[in-house]
C-alpha cells in the first residue's frame, strides 16, 4: 500500500481522518503512532522483515540516546552512530550485489528512518533536544507521512512541531493538506507516469546494436523526459506526504526547489530533496569542517566529496555507477572549493553552459539509477 493505491485513498485515509477528528486532542499523538504502524505494516506485506527491523531500530535509538545522556561518553556515542551507519551501509551492499533476489527482504524505507535514528542520537548528544520517553522516539522514527518518501526531518525540529500544544487540527490545515495532497497526486500519477511511459516508448524503439548511432536530439529528449519525470515523481510523493501531515495538523516545509534550472550539480541536489542536503550539511559536512577547519580548502573539498558520495549511496547507487559518477563529484568539489555557482550567476553565458553541463551530469545519474 502506497499513497496512490486505491486501498489507501478509499479506505485508510478516510478512516484515519475520521477517527482523528473525533478523538480527544490529547490522544492524537497516540493515534498518529498507531496509524503509522498500521500503514507501515500494510505497505511492507511483501517484505516481512520490515516491521521488525523498524521496531528494533527504534528501540536501539531510544536506548542509545538514553545511554549517551546518562554516560556522556564519546565511545558510547561513536559506537551508536557507527552501528546505525553500518546497518545502512550493509543494506546498501546487499542491494548492490544480490540485486533483485534480495529486494523483497530489504526493509522498506530504511534509508529514511535510519537517518532519523542518527539525527535523534546526535541531537541528544549536542543538547539540541531531549528524549522524554520511548514514545517520542517511536513517533519520530515511524511517522508515516515521511517514512517512505520524505522529507527528512531532524529530530530537534520534529519534537517541536509535534508537541501536543502545537498540533492544530482545523479546517485551514485540512484544506491546505487536501490541496497539497491533490497536487502531489497529479504530479505523480498524471505527469510523472506519462513522462516515464513516453521515455520507455521512445527508448524501446531505438536500436543499440553495433555501429548504430542515436541522434543528439533524440538523446536530449530522453534525458529531459527522465529528468522532469524523476522530479515530478519524487516531488509528487513528497507533496502527498506533506499533505497528509498538514491534514493531521503538522505542517512541513516543501522539499523541492527549482532544480531543473540549476547551474551546477551541487545546486541541483541542494534543490532536489533540500531536506536531505540540509541533513548532510548538519550531520556530515558540518562536523568534518568544524573538526578539521572549514577555512582550509582541502577540508572543504573532502567534506563536499563525502557528502556527494553519501548522497549517491543513499540513493542506492551501484559500484559501477559510483565510478561513472566521478564527473559529478568533481563538479561538486570544484563548486565547493571555488564558488563556481557564484561565478556562473554573474555571467549569463556561463550560467547557460553550467545548466547544460548539469543536465548532462544529473541525466547520467538518474539514467544509471
Amino acid at each position: 500500500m502506497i499513497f496512490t493505491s486505491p486501498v489507501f485513498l478509499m479506505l485508510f485515509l478516510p478512516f484515519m481522518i475520521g477517527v482523528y477528528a473525533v478523538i480527544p486532542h490529547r490522544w492524537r499523538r497516540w493515534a498518529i503512532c498507531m496509524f503509522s504502524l498500521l500503514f507501515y505494516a500494510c505497505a511492507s506485506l511483501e517484505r516481512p522483515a520490515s516491521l521488525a527491523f523498524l521496531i528494533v531500530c527504534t528501540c536501539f535509538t531510544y536506548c542509545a540516546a538514553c545511554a549517551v545522556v546518562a554516560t556522556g561518553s564519546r565511545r558510547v556515542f561513536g559506537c551508536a552512530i557507527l552501528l546505525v551507519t553500518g546497518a545502512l551501509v550493509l543494506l546498501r551492499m546487499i542491494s548492490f550485489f544480490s540485486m533483485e533476489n534480495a529486494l523483497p527482504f530489504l526493509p522498506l524505507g530504511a534509508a529514511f528512518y535510519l537517518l532519523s535514528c542518527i539525527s535523534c542520537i546526535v541531537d541528544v548528544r549536542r543538547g539540541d533536544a531531549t528524549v522524554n520517553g520511548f514514545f517520542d522516539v517511536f513517533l519520530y522514527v515511524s511517522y508515516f507521512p515521511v517514512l517512505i518518501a520524505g522529507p527528512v526531518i531532524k529530530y530537534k525540529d520534529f519534537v517541536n512541531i509535534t508537541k501536543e500544544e502545537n498540533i492544530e487540527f482545523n479546517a485551514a490545515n485540512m484544506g491546505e493538506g487536501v490541496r497539497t495532497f491533490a497536487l502531489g497526486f497529479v504530479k505523480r500519477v498524471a505527469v510523472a507516469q506519462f513522462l516515464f511511459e513516453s521515455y520507455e516508448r521512445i527508448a524501446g524503439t531505438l536500436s543499440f546494436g553495433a555501429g548504430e548511432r542515436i541522434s543528439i536530439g533524440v538523446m536530449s529528449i530522453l534525458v529531459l523526459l527522465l529528468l522532469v519525470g524523476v522530479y515530478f515523481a519524487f516531488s509528487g510523493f513528497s507533496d502527498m506526504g506533506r499533505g497528509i501531515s498538514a491534514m493531521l495538523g503538522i505542517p512541513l516545509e516543501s522539499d523541492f526547489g527549482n532544480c531543473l534550472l540549476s547551474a551546477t550539480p551541487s545546486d541541483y541536489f541542494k534543490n532536489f530533496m533540500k531536506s536531505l542536503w540540509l541533513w548532510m550539511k548538519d550531520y556530515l559536512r558540518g562536523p568534518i569542517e568544524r573538526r578539521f577547519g572549514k577555512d582550509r580548502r582541502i577540508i572543504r573539498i573532502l567534506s563536499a566529496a563525502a557528502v556527494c558520495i553519501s548522497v549517491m549511496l543513499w540513493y542506492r547507487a551501484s559500484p559501477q555507477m559510483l565510478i561513472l559518477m566521478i564527473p559529478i563529484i568533481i563538479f561538486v568539489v570544484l563548486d565547493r572549493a571555488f564558488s563556481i555557482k557564484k561565478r556562473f550567476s554573474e555571467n549569463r553565458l556561463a550560467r547557460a553552459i553550467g545548466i547544460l553541463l548539469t543536465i548532462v551530469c544529473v541525466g547520467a545519474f538518474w539514467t544509471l539509477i
Side-chain angles (χ1 to χ4, degrees):
M1 182 177 68
I2 57 177
F3 294 156
T4 56
S5 67
V7 174
F8 179 83
L9 294 171
M10 302 300 178
L11 295 177
F12 186 92
L13 185 58
F15 177 71
M16 179 191 70
I17 296 300
V19 172
Y20 197 74
V22 299
I23 61 175
H25 182 77
R26 65 180 182 276
W27 292 354
R28 282 179 176 154
R29 279 162 43 94
W30 289 95
I32 293 172
C33 196
M34 294 301 103
F35 280 115
S36 293
L37 272 179
L38 179 59
F39 172 84
Y40 191 70
C42 295
S44 56
L45 289 175
E46 298 180 355
R47 304 182 181 214
S50 293
L51 185 59
F53 189 76
L54 173 66
I55 295 174
V56 168
C57 289
T58 306
C59 293
F60 173 81
T61 302
Y62 172 72
C63 294
C66 292
V68 167
V69 172
T71 64
S73 170
R74 286 187 175 183
R75 291 184 179 181
V76 173
F77 170 73
C79 288
I81 296 299
L82 186 62
L83 286 172
V84 178
T85 306
L88 180 57
V89 172
L90 179 62
L91 291 175
R92 283 294 175 253
M93 290 181 65
I94 292 174
S95 66
F96 286 168
F97 300 112
S98 54
M99 304 304 286
E100 298 297 331
N101 294 332
L103 293 182
F105 303 98
L106 295 178
L108 183 66
F112 280 98
Y113 63 75
L114 285 175
L115 293 187
S116 299
C117 295
I118 295 174
S119 174
C120 178
I121 298 171
V122 173
D123 286 346
V124 170
R125 165 72 177 179
R126 292 175 176 175
D128 294 336
T130 59
V131 175
N132 297 320
F134 176 76
F135 177 73
D136 281 349
V137 178
F138 193 78
L139 178 63
Y140 170 59
V141 176
S142 65
Y143 188 57
F144 84 92
V146 302
L147 184 62
I148 297 175
V152 180
I153 309 175
K154 301 172 186 176
Y155 179 72
K156 59 186 177 183
D157 297 330
F158 187 82
V159 293
N160 288 326
I161 63 177
T162 56
K163 288 180 179 179
E164 186 174 311
E165 61 271 19
N166 292 336
I167 297 178
E168 297 182 2
F169 180 73
N170 52 43
N173 284 336
M174 176 60 70
E176 179 63 22
V178 171
R179 186 194 69 82
T180 304
F181 183 88
L183 177 62
F185 184 84
V186 171
K187 281 183 177 181
R188 178 62 185 90
V189 175
V191 181
Q193 190 65 29
F194 171 77
L195 293 173
F196 287 147
E197 289 178 356
S198 300
Y199 174 88
E200 291 176 358
R201 289 195 186 103
I202 296 174
T205 62
L206 300 177
S207 174
F208 296 95
E212 295 289 340
R213 293 185 178 181
I214 301 174
S215 68
I216 295 178
V218 173
M219 290 302 298
S220 300
I221 292 173
L222 288 175
V223 170
L224 288 175
L225 286 174
L226 188 61
L227 278 179
V228 179
V230 166
Y231 173 80
F232 278 101
F234 276 81
S235 64
F237 267 124
S238 179
D239 285 347
M240 293 171 77
R242 291 194 310 112
I244 296 168
S245 186
M247 294 180 202
L248 299 175
I250 305 173
L252 302 175
E253 294 183 3
S254 176
D255 203 22
F256 289 82
N258 189 14
C259 59
L260 297 178
L261 294 177
S262 300
T264 64
S266 58
D267 193 32
Y268 174 89
F269 287 110
K270 283 180 182 178
N271 289 296
F272 191 97
M273 289 195 70
K274 294 183 290 185
S275 62
L276 178 61
W277 188 268
L278 292 174
W279 191 99
M280 292 291 176
K281 178 182 177 181
D282 199 7
Y283 299 107
L284 180 60
R285 197 186 82 190
I288 292 175
E289 294 183 352
R290 284 193 297 270
R291 174 66 177 82
F292 300 101
K294 65 179 179 179
D295 295 330
R296 300 167 59 187
R297 179 169 291 176
I298 184 64
I299 300 302
R300 296 202 303 270
I301 291 175
L302 292 176
S303 65
V307 168
C308 192
I309 293 172
S310 299
V311 169
M312 291 179 184
L313 287 172
W314 186 86
Y315 276 117
R316 205 180 72 189
S318 65
Q320 296 85 352
M321 176 185 162
L322 292 177
I323 296 174
L324 294 172
M325 287 301 99
I326 289 177
I328 286 187
I329 299 176
I330 293 174
F331 272 113
V332 172
V333 167
L334 292 176
D335 185 18
R336 177 65 177 160
F338 301 102
S339 301
I340 294 178
K341 178 186 174 182
K342 182 179 179 180
R343 299 174 188 271
F344 279 165
S345 63
E346 297 172 351
N347 186 293
R348 291 186 177 180
L349 178 60
R351 178 172 176 78
I353 295 173
I355 292 174
L356 180 61
L357 291 174
T358 299
I359 289 175
V360 172
C361 288
V362 298
F365 176 83
W366 290 118
T367 301
L368 291 168
I369 282 188

